[in-house]
Amino acid sequence: MECKKPTFGIPSYGHIITSEKWRNSSFIQALKGGGVNILFESELGVVDFLLPNKSSILYLSESDIIAGTAYKRKLVRYRNACNSFQMLVLVEKTRLSQQYFLAVQKFVVLELGLTLLPVGGQTEALHLILQMVHADGKENPFRRKDPSGLLDPLVLSTVLQIPGVGRVKALALLSRFPSIYQLCNANVGQMEAIVGQASAQSIRDFFHEVAR
């Protein structure tokens, strides 16, 4: 089914477009205190923030995670949204949500192919968003293909869990398949040209085991 793309433009430097539901929150007041101009929008759907580096953010709080699995429906809607923004999922990893985090991580990264950023709470999320909004360049650092980039430690750590795959092979793989979703769907032949037949088969077996 063809979906209708939203008409929201990219916020200009120093601005973010924010879901109306955040209007009266202390988080928004803190963003304003950090020199960010807020534009509220009531039709963002499940998206919480649109940033000038062409990122969109869905924020999962501690309460979202421990309340049950309703967050999965929200994530699927987010993944299926038609837009040209880089999709990021901020997840509160706290003492209470720690026990659920691995399940959330697997669903977000392995099943949906989205980028997950763990944060300790709204204060840490605030600093991260301010960093992105006030970035010197307009290039989105989360789009970099270099596997040693800002977000890739999370993806790299997953690949390094595969038996027989060291850092050199992991970086080579991620330069060709920059997301776990792409790597999961690569065939043995595609990976063999990069890491050899034995490692390619080991990688394939690893992801089949995880998916069970």
Side-chain angles (χ1 to χ4, degrees):
M1 182 177 70
E2 184 177 357
C3 51
K4 182 180 179 181
K5 292 188 177 182
T7 57
F8 308 114
I10 302 171
S12 58
Y13 175 81
H15 293 69
I16 67 172
I17 299 175
T18 305
S19 173
E20 183 69 33
K21 65 186 179 185
W22 289 85
R23 179 179 287 274
N24 297 317
S25 68
S26 58
F27 188 77
I28 290 301
Q29 297 307 314
L31 279 175
K32 290 179 178 179
V36 174
N37 296 300
I38 309 295
L39 305 173
F40 292 101
E41 175 57 59
S42 61
E43 298 184 4
L44 287 183
V46 296
V47 175
D48 290 298
F49 308 104
L50 296 179
L51 308 185
N53 69 349
K54 212 174 181 182
S55 295
S56 71
I57 291 177
L58 173 65
Y59 193 97
L60 289 183
S61 67
E62 176 188 80
S63 59
D64 290 328
I65 297 170
I66 65 178
T69 59
Y71 70 85
K72 290 188 175 183
R73 291 191 294 272
K74 182 187 293 187
L75 283 165
V76 171
R77 288 173 58 201
Y78 182 55
R79 193 275 308 272
N80 291 341
C82 291
N83 62 62
S84 57
F85 287 80
Q86 173 72 10
M87 294 181 169
L88 308 176
V89 181
L90 267 60
V91 179
E92 287 189 0
K93 186 180 181 182
T94 66
R95 182 178 59 83
L96 291 178
S97 66
Q98 174 73 37
Q99 61 181 310
Y100 307 100
F101 181 77
L102 287 179
V104 175
Q105 183 182 39
K106 177 181 176 182
F107 186 73
V108 172
V109 178
L110 294 183
E111 297 189 33
L112 298 184
L114 298 175
T115 298
L116 181 148
L117 286 173
V119 292
Q122 288 194 2
T123 299
E124 189 174 335
L126 172 70
H127 292 314
L128 179 61
I129 291 176
L130 286 174
Q131 179 186 357
M132 288 190 281
V133 172
H134 292 310
D136 291 335
K138 294 184 179 180
E139 179 66 22
N140 181 357
F142 295 94
R143 289 181 176 271
R144 291 183 297 183
K145 294 183 179 180
D146 180 1
S148 62
L150 182 58
L151 288 184
D152 290 316
L154 177 65
V155 178
L156 184 59
S157 66
T158 301
V159 177
L160 288 174
Q161 295 177 39
I162 303 172
V165 177
R167 186 176 179 84
V168 173
K169 287 185 177 180
L171 292 175
L173 281 168
L174 291 173
S175 67
R176 173 65 177 83
F177 308 103
S179 74
I180 292 295
Y181 180 79
Q182 289 175 301
L183 191 56
C184 285
N185 287 280
N187 60 47
V188 172
Q190 291 173 311
M191 293 185 288
E192 183 177 343
I194 301 171
V195 297
Q197 183 178 10
S199 293
Q201 189 59 56
S202 181
I203 294 163
R204 192 66 175 162
D205 293 343
F206 174 83
F207 284 118
H208 279 179
E209 183 66 26
V210 170
R212 289 179 182 175

